[in-house]
Amino acid sequence: MSKGYAWTVFALGFGLLLSDYMSRQVLNAVFPMLKAEWLLSDAALGSLSGIVPLAVGVLTFPMSLMADRWGRVRSLLLAATMWSLATLGCAVSASYGEMFVGRLFVGIGEAAYGSVGIAVVLSIFPVTLRATLSGAFIAGGAFGSVLGVVVGGAVAQAAGWRWAFAVMGIFGLVLAAVYAVVVKESRLAPRGRSSDGEDGAEARDRLRTHLPRLFSSVSVISAYVGSGLQLFIAGALLSWLPSFFNRYYHMAPAEAGGAAGGFAMIIGLGMIFGGVASDRISSTAPIRKWAVAVGCSIGALLLLTLTFQLPTGPAQLLALAVGCLLSAGSAGPAAAMVANLTPASIAATAFATLTLANSLLGLAPGPAITGALADRFGLLGALRIVPLVAVVATLAFLVGRHWYERDLLRIADLTTKAEPKHTSEIPS
C-alpha cells in the first residue's frame, strides 16, 4: 500500500471521527432553544445528551466484534450512515420523544466507530506511528466536539436549531459516500486472510478463556472505576457549559457555543497532556502513573469547586480553564494502567471494557444527573455538586496504586506459567 493511500484513509477516517463527535455534541449548543420551544426540564435535556454515550458504552463491544466478522469498512459505512440519518431525524423531530429516539440511533451508529475506526488506521501504518495516530484520534474527538458546539450554535442562531442538526447529518452522509468510493476492504485486508468460520470460533473460545482476566486484579478494576467517574465531570461540563454561558453570562447561542467550544478543546488537550506527563514521569517508575491520575482528580476537584463559587468574570473563567484541563487528564494514565494490567492478547477487549466504564460511569450519567440536579438546585447549584465525584475517583485511584505492584507481579507470574515450554523440554 502506498503512503499516499494510507494517509488518504487516515484523513477520511479522521473526517468521520469529526462527524461522529459533531453529531453527538451539536445538541448541547441548542439546549436553550429546545428548552424554550418544548418547555423541557433540565433533566430531560440531560437525558437527550446522555443517551448517546450510554448507547456507545453498552454497544461498543458487541458492535466491534460484529465489525471484525462482517468487515470493518462495511461496518464503518453502515455506522456513519446510521448516525448521519439519525441526526437528520433529530432535525425533523416534533417532540421530546421523537428527539430521544433519534439520539438513541445516533449512539447506536457511533458505538463501533471509536474502536473500529482506529483499528483500520493502525492496521495500515507502521507500529512506530501507533502512539502518534492514537493521539491524533483522541485530539480529533475533542476537535469534533468543539466544531459541533461552535458550528451548531452559529447555524442555530442564523437559521434555527433544526438546521444545526441538518448540517451535521448532511456532512456525515457526504463523508460516508466519499469513504465508500475511496476505501476498499480488499486494499486493507492482509493477503491470505482465512475466509472460513474457524477464526470466529477460535475468537469466541479465546474470549471465554480470557474474559475473567479483564477483572482479575483490584488495581485494574480501580483504573476502570476511577477513569469512568472522573469522566463524569468532563461529560457534565461538555454538555452544560453552553447553557452555563447562556444563562449566567447572557450570551446568545452562537456566542455561548463558541465559548463552550474553547473549553471543550481545553478538556481534550488535558487528555493528551495527561498522557504525555504520565509517560515522562513514570519512565523509571511505572507506579507514578497513579500519581498523575490522583493529581488530576484532586486538582479538578479543588479548581472546579472554586470556579462555581466565584462570581462571573475573568477570575472564574481562568479557574474554569485550569479545572477543565485537569478534569479528564486521568484518561491517558488510566488507559496505560489498564494496558499494563491485562494480557497483551486481550488488549483490544480491555480497552473496550475501559470504554464501557467511561461511558456507563461517566459520559452517560454526567449530563443526565447534572440536568436532574439543575431542576432542583439550579444549573449553578448542580455544577457546584458535580466536582465532588472526583473524591470517589481519587479514592479509586489510591486503592489501585496500593495494589498495583503486587498485581503486576502476579500477572507476570501467571503469564510466565502460561507460556509454552521449549520444544526441547517436551518429552517425546
Side-chain angles (χ1 to χ4, degrees):
M1 183 184 300
S2 68
K3 288 184 179 179
Y5 184 72
W7 282 109
T8 299
V9 173
F10 172 81
L12 290 173
F14 189 83
L16 284 178
L17 183 72
L18 294 182
S19 171
D20 179 331
Y21 278 84
M22 289 168 70
S23 296
R24 183 186 300 197
Q25 298 297 340
V26 63
L27 172 77
N28 303 328
V30 301
F31 268 3
M33 296 179 177
L34 290 179
K35 185 177 181 68
E37 183 172 332
W38 289 346
L39 303 178
L40 297 179
S41 67
D42 286 337
L45 292 173
S47 67
L48 290 175
S49 183
I51 188 59
V52 175
L54 178 62
V56 170
V58 171
L59 297 175
T60 289
F61 186 66
M63 295 288 278
S64 298
L65 290 177
M66 182 196 74
D68 282 337
R69 297 196 52 140
W70 194 47
R72 290 174 176 176
V73 173
R74 190 183 304 172
S75 298
L76 291 182
L77 289 174
L78 177 62
T81 302
M82 180 179 292
W83 82 58
S84 299
L85 290 176
T87 304
L88 287 175
C90 292
V92 297
S93 297
S95 65
Y96 166 82
E98 292 180 7
M99 176 70 78
F100 188 88
V101 172
R103 293 289 292 175
L104 173 62
F105 278 92
V106 170
I108 294 172
E110 293 180 2
Y113 190 78
S115 57
V116 180
I118 189 62
V120 168
V121 169
L122 295 183
S123 69
I124 59 175
F125 280 92
V127 175
T128 53
L129 286 177
R130 284 184 174 177
T132 301
L133 294 169
S134 297
F137 258 67
I138 294 173
F143 192 35
S145 297
V146 172
L147 287 175
V149 174
V150 174
V151 176
V155 173
Q157 184 167 320
W161 65 264
R162 295 185 184 278
W163 274 105
F165 285 100
V167 167
M168 302 304 168
I170 293 170
F171 176 64
L173 288 175
V174 170
L175 275 177
V178 175
Y179 196 94
V181 172
V182 175
V183 183
K184 302 297 182 182
E185 192 85 49
S186 58
R187 296 191 65 178
L188 303 180
R191 295 182 181 180
R193 174 182 290 174
S194 174
S195 60
D196 57 31
E198 186 178 41
D199 290 342
E202 290 177 355
R204 288 193 298 271
D205 291 340
R206 187 166 58 252
L207 178 61
R208 283 193 293 266
T209 301
H210 290 306
L211 190 59
R213 301 184 69 178
L214 294 172
F215 305 95
S216 62
S217 66
V218 173
S219 49
V220 75
I221 294 173
S222 298
Y224 293 144
V225 173
S227 178
L229 290 176
Q230 193 62 32
L231 286 179
F232 180 103
I233 301 171
L237 292 173
L238 288 171
S239 294
W240 287 102
L241 281 180
S243 294
F244 173 76
F245 288 120
N246 174 259
R247 298 182 194 183
Y248 299 102
Y249 283 80
H250 309 292
M251 295 180 181
E255 189 180 1
F263 286 95
M265 180 63 77
I266 292 174
I267 291 173
L269 290 174
M271 293 181 181
I272 298 174
F273 291 155
V276 172
S278 174
D279 284 339
R280 289 183 177 274
I281 292 172
S282 63
S283 58
T284 57
I287 198 171
R288 292 176 183 169
K289 284 183 171 64
W290 294 95
V292 175
V294 170
C296 288
S297 295
I298 294 176
L301 169 65
L302 296 177
L303 283 162
L304 292 175
T305 299
L306 174 64
T307 294
F308 298 114
Q309 295 294 335
L310 290 171
T312 57
Q316 185 185 55
L317 295 178
L318 177 61
L320 177 60
V322 183
C324 284
L325 187 69
L326 297 174
S327 65
S330 59
M337 290 181 286
V338 168
N340 291 344
L341 290 162
T342 51
S345 58
I346 55 168
T349 309
F351 284 121
T353 306
L354 179 62
T355 299
L356 177 65
N358 288 342
S359 297
L360 297 188
L361 295 179
L363 297 175
I369 293 176
T370 303
L373 291 172
D375 284 337
R376 184 175 179 85
F377 303 108
L379 181 56
L380 184 60
L383 291 174
R384 288 172 175 169
I385 297 172
V386 164
L388 297 177
V389 176
V391 174
V392 187
T394 300
L395 291 175
F397 287 135
L398 288 173
V399 170
R401 184 186 185 280
H402 178 75
W403 286 92
Y404 184 60
E405 292 183 329
R406 278 172 283 185
D407 286 338
L408 278 181
L409 291 173
R410 186 169 59 83
I411 291 170
D413 184 57
L414 289 174
T415 302
T416 301
K417 291 179 179 179
E419 291 178 351
K421 295 182 179 180
H422 191 276
T423 54
S424 62
E425 298 174 354
I426 300 175
S428 56

